[in-house]
Amino acid sequence: MFERFLMTLPAFVGQTLKFIFIVLVVGSMAFPFGQMLPRKNFDYRHHPFAPYRWEKQGMVYTKLRIQYWKDKVPDMSQHVKSAFRKKITVFRSSEYLEMLILETCVAEFVHFVLILISPMFLIMMEGTAGWICMALYALGNLPFIMIQRYNRPRLVMLMERQEKLEAQAASKKAGQAISTH
């Protein structure tokens, strides 16, 4: 039925609708896939999630002015209530920040997998349209990877700072407890 509907439309419109349909289907499957991945399998301190030297702790992305557009791209956690909220509040703990860092690893991995499966458009779409859609899909996932790689080093620094503050507060509390006995 969908194919018959596409046949009645001009080729460009039909191919565009087919592209949108495939992106929606794959995207709706990618999110639960990411949610199911065990976070213990991701280590932000090691390859491939640790920053590369050429990234200069994520600062290379500032040349692309990422800080101005990164918050304008879609974020599924804003629309799915069961998703991990990716907002830093005033009352952040080092544990929360570490979970947030792991979420950046998962998001990067999922978008990398989406790039790897982009050749599906060569199978699902005819000729030049398949090549164009494959390139658009792969390129469309790159900004999401760049955002994770830009944010992660900054979050790690914030987490380390928070861990020091928490350790100082704990030692101060322990010192007060000892002086009261």
Side-chain angles (χ1 to χ4, degrees):
M1 182 173 124
F2 186 67
E3 287 290 325
R4 193 173 340 140
F5 170 70
L6 290 177
M7 297 295 280
T8 62
L9 298 172
F12 176 76
V13 174
Q15 292 294 334
T16 303
L17 289 175
K18 192 172 190 179
F19 174 74
I20 292 169
F21 178 74
I22 294 168
V23 168
L24 289 174
V25 168
V26 172
S28 66
M29 292 185 321
F31 183 75
F33 168 71
Q35 294 294 95
M36 291 185 321
L37 293 172
R39 298 330 189 231
K40 66 180 168 102
N41 293 345
F42 295 88
D43 188 348
Y44 58 90
R45 295 171 294 243
H46 294 98
H47 178 75
F49 303 111
Y52 298 106
R53 246 184 246 130
W54 63 267
E55 289 178 304
K56 299 180 178 151
Q57 292 294 320
M59 295 314 295
V60 72
Y61 300 110
T62 59
K63 291 182 175 145
L64 300 171
R65 303 177 61 81
I66 195 169
Q67 65 273 25
Y68 298 110
W69 55 262
K70 71 180 182 75
D71 294 326
K72 292 178 175 56
V73 299
D75 178 4
M76 287 294 282
S77 71
Q78 294 175 345
H79 306 290
V80 178
K81 289 190 189 321
S82 64
F84 184 82
R85 294 294 299 173
K86 295 168 181 78
K87 291 286 181 199
I88 298 176
T89 63
V90 177
F91 304 106
R92 62 188 178 269
S93 67
S94 59
E95 292 85 18
Y96 175 83
L97 290 169
E98 185 169 28
M99 289 180 356
L100 185 55
I101 292 165
L102 292 174
E103 288 298 316
T104 68
C105 296
V106 171
E108 180 180 341
F109 177 76
V110 169
H111 284 284
F112 182 73
V113 168
L114 291 173
I115 289 172
L116 289 179
I117 65 169
S118 64
M120 72 180 162
F121 287 99
L122 298 176
I123 298 166
M124 302 177 97
M125 300 183 80
E126 306 82 38
T128 307
W131 286 97
I132 292 170
C133 291
M134 178 184 79
L136 287 174
Y137 192 71
L139 290 172
N141 278 288
L142 279 178
F144 295 96
I145 292 173
M146 292 170 17
I147 291 167
Q148 308 316 316
R149 298 200 64 82
Y150 169 76
N151 283 335
R152 192 175 309 117
R154 299 168 63 209
L155 290 169
V156 169
M157 287 190 315
L158 185 61
M159 179 188 67
E160 289 169 350
R161 203 173 319 139
Q162 186 65 29
E163 285 172 339
K164 285 179 187 172
L165 289 172
E166 290 169 3
Q168 288 172 350
S171 77
K172 185 177 179 182
K173 189 175 180 181
Q176 288 174 346
I178 291 172
S179 67
T180 59
H181 289 316

